[in-house]
Amino acid sequence: MNMWFLGTGAGRPSKYRNVTAMALQLPEPHSSWLLFDAGEATQHQLMRTPLKLNKLEFVFITHLHGDHLYGLPGLLSSRSFDGGVTPVRLYGPVGIKAFIETVFSISATQLDYELIIHEITGNEALIFEDDRFKVEVGQLEHRVVSYGYRITEKDQPGRLLVHKLKELGIEAGPLYGKLKQGESVTSPSGTIVHTADVTGPAHIGRVITVLGDTKPCDNALRLAVNADLLVHEATFAAGMEEKAHEFGHSTTAEAAATASKAKAKRLVMTHFSGRYSNEDLSQLEREAAQYFETATAAVDLLHIEVKRALNE
């Protein structure tokens, strides 16, 4: 599972960074990916990664400010040209459907795949679940309706321990399949073999939390609890809390405090004001480290592997 930071700037592009977008690549065998926000030129940034548009499966828009949205129509259109034929699910605040349909209608854009649009209402918590992961949402505190998303990967059973199976006289075949499904089987010698007896440690599902623009709030903390990766905006440096809150944003110190209170394993800060150059990012990291040691200030095209823990 890999996270790509396609754009890390706030408001408008700068010579240091593009506007906000992030991509979460799911593990094999699916290798599909999820997009969080799509500021202008997001598809240009994608060309600098291994990600393919025809593998895009989900889009989650945090809010309808242009620096998180203006790249979406072109990206969805280009997916048809890249051989995308499978459905895409698009989630976002009320208004996202009218935005997409208006742009496509005026520009006579037609897609070669089904676009399923789901507008989030204030009383929702769980917005998607399948056998791979679930997605929860919470409303944050910004100048417009803004959401944070929590993606929880489902736990996976450990691998079959082939050497133990051979010791029990069980060869590869139908019995392997039953054990993988959690069923008990009978060995050739008549011994009852339970799945737990012949599997390694379970793979604990990872949790990734991506927050839209927000000042510190309870829902940001709730969505971030025990996250393996927390992506939090840090538009302003520590000490600029008054200005940050005026515009519905957070500082580096506040992002780090949320990560610390939530007991997140890793914090990556993004959505930096254009006043900060890439040379300033080390100072922003030092500010955050006073509250949360493993804080990273993202740069465009930063790639992070979200590692899986073992239940041992």
Side-chain angles (χ1 to χ4, degrees), residues 166-243:
K166 288 184 177 180
E167 289 173 1
L168 293 165
I170 300 175
E171 299 295 334
L175 295 184
Y176 274 35
K178 290 185 177 181
L179 287 166
K180 287 180 181 179
Q181 296 298 319
E183 298 180 34
S184 298
V185 302
T186 303
S187 72
S189 65
T191 302
I192 302 299
V193 179
H194 304 290
T195 298
D197 300 330
V198 290
T199 55
H203 297 294
I204 304 303
R206 290 157 284 196
V207 176
I208 295 90
T209 299
V210 178
L211 302 180
D213 290 6
T214 188
K215 58 185 179 181
C217 65
D218 290 342
N219 269 346
L221 182 60
R222 178 181 65 81
L223 291 168
V225 168
N226 296 323
D228 294 280
L229 173 63
L230 168 61
V231 180
H232 197 305
E233 70 123 290
T235 309
F236 294 100
M240 298 188 68
E241 284 75 18
E242 183 176 352
K243 185 175 183 63

Side-chain angles (χ1 to χ4, degrees), residues 130-165:
D130 65 8
D131 61 350
R132 298 170 297 168
F133 60 89
K134 66 178 181 180
V135 182
E136 298 166 280
V137 68
Q139 187 169 337
L140 307 173
E141 295 187 17
H142 189 47
R143 292 180 294 146
V144 299
V145 174
S146 181
Y147 291 108
Y149 297 98
R150 178 183 173 93
I151 295 82
T152 303
E153 182 185 30
K154 298 292 181 70
D155 294 347
Q156 298 295 323
R159 293 184 178 181
L160 290 178
L161 301 176
V162 176
H163 68 282
K164 283 193 173 183
L165 291 166

Side-chain angles (χ1 to χ4, degrees), residues 37-53:
D37 288 337
E40 61 187 275
T42 292
Q43 63 176 313
H44 289 78
Q45 295 289 78
L46 280 169
M47 295 175 189
R48 303 167 69 186
T49 76
L51 300 172
K52 304 299 182 185
L53 272 177

Side-chain angles (χ1 to χ4, degrees), residues 17 32 35 58 80 106 126 129 136 156 170 299 312:
R17 56 187 71 92
S32 57
L35 179 66
F58 294 84
S80 289
I106 292 172
L126 179 67
E129 185 171 14
E136 298 166 280
Q156 298 295 323
I170 300 175
V299 296
E312 298 179 307

